[in-house]
């Protein structure tokens, strides 16, 4: 569980310089887009606070903050579907992480390889000759 210090922020050992760069949502979370390091598919989207990011950066395993359960969740502890961290990058706005992983087993809680497998939505796709600014 997140243990706030006197300032109300959860205690963490995250590098203070990195922590100062992060732009969090009102709940103190940052979006983490998870990508397969080998085939580059987007596997899932999770949420991290400073402590989850610290654990991810220092353990070699992806850790998230579960908004529904209100607790830390290290991917694979109950399912065996582990995410071994290959790299973590911060986007230019400092509000989204890209976590590249070696995925063992299903990435989605429904047991599928990716959370984005329900099929594409109907979207107009223009031929390159029809694309104008």
């Amino acid at each position: 569980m997140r243990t706030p210090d006197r300032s109300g922020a959860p205690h963490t050992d995250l590098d203070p310089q990195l922590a100062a760069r992060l732009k969090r949502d009102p709940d103190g979370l940052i979006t983490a887009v998870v990508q397969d390091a080998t085939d580059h598919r987007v596997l899932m989207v999770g949420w991290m606070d400073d402590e989850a990011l610290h654990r991810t950066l220092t353990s070699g395993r992806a850790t998230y903050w579960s908004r529904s359960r209100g607790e830390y969740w290290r991917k694979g502890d109950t399912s065996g579907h582990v995410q071994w961290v290959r790299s973590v990058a911060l986007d230019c706005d400092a509000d989204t992480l890209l976590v590249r992983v070696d995925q063992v087993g299903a990435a989605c809680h429904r047991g599928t390889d990716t959370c984005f497998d329900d099929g594409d939505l109907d979207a107009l796709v223009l031929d390159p000759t029809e694309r104008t600014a």
Side-chain angles (χ1 to χ4, degrees):
M1 300 283 294
R2 293 173 5 156
T3 308
D5 64 18
R6 290 182 193 188
S7 70
H11 170 74
T12 182
D13 291 322
L14 185 65
D15 176 351
Q17 289 182 331
L18 174 57
R21 292 176 57 198
L22 300 177
K23 293 184 182 148
R24 301 160 196 83
D25 74 5
D27 294 322
L29 301 173
I30 187 166
T31 304
V33 176
V34 184
Q35 181 182 44
D36 187 290
T38 303
D39 65 19
H40 309 293
R41 290 179 303 159
V42 175
L43 301 175
M44 58 174 270
V45 174
W47 298 93
M48 292 184 182
D49 66 0
D50 289 15
E51 179 61 20
L53 178 56
H54 170 72
R55 293 180 189 189
T56 297
L57 293 172
T58 60
S59 73
R61 299 244 334 248
T63 300
Y64 306 97
W65 176 255
S66 172
R67 296 177 302 165
S68 60
R69 294 187 299 240
E71 63 186 17
Y72 291 104
W73 158 52
R74 190 169 73 162
K75 184 74 170 162
D77 279 353
T78 58
S79 68
H81 300 162
V82 176
Q83 291 178 342
W84 298 105
V85 175
R86 293 272 298 272
S87 66
V88 180
L90 185 61
D91 80 331
C92 60
D93 294 322
D95 63 0
T96 303
L97 298 163
L98 176 62
V99 183
R100 292 186 180 105
V101 301
D102 289 326
Q103 178 70 48
V104 176
C108 184
H109 69 280
R110 296 175 305 152
T112 56
D113 289 344
T114 171
C115 293
F116 297 94
D117 66 349
D118 274 348
D120 292 335
L121 301 178
D122 290 331
L124 176 62
V125 178
L126 297 174
D127 184 274
T129 61
E130 300 174 306
R131 298 175 186 169
T132 60

